[in-house]
Amino acid sequence: MAKPNYSFEKRQRELEKKKKKEEKNQRKLAKGSAPDASTVAQASAPADAGIPAENA
């Protein structure tokens, strides 16, 4: 029976943690640079939205 290679398993866990940390950092950077959804909705709404037009 083969004995377990603990150093290999530890290295794999460390690589997985590093990968997750980098992915999280990338998501954080992408989220910070993308405009907020509420800001986009307000900017695309017409200035006179909700104001009824007067009948002449």
Side-chain angles (χ1 to χ4, degrees):
M1 188 168 156
K3 67 177 188 174
N5 189 347
Y6 292 113
S7 56
F8 175 77
E9 293 173 8
K10 182 178 179 184
R11 178 70 177 143
Q12 293 303 309
R13 285 193 305 271
E14 289 173 352
L15 289 172
E16 187 64 29
K17 284 182 185 180
K18 184 178 179 182
K19 181 180 172 186
K20 283 187 177 184
K21 189 174 182 179
E22 288 178 5
E23 289 174 355
K24 184 177 180 181
N25 196 18
Q26 288 296 321
R27 285 194 308 266
K28 208 172 176 182
L29 289 173
K31 184 178 179 184
S33 64
D36 207 7
S38 61
T39 307
V40 173
Q42 290 174 354
S44 64
D48 60 11
I51 302 173
E54 294 182 25
N55 294 338

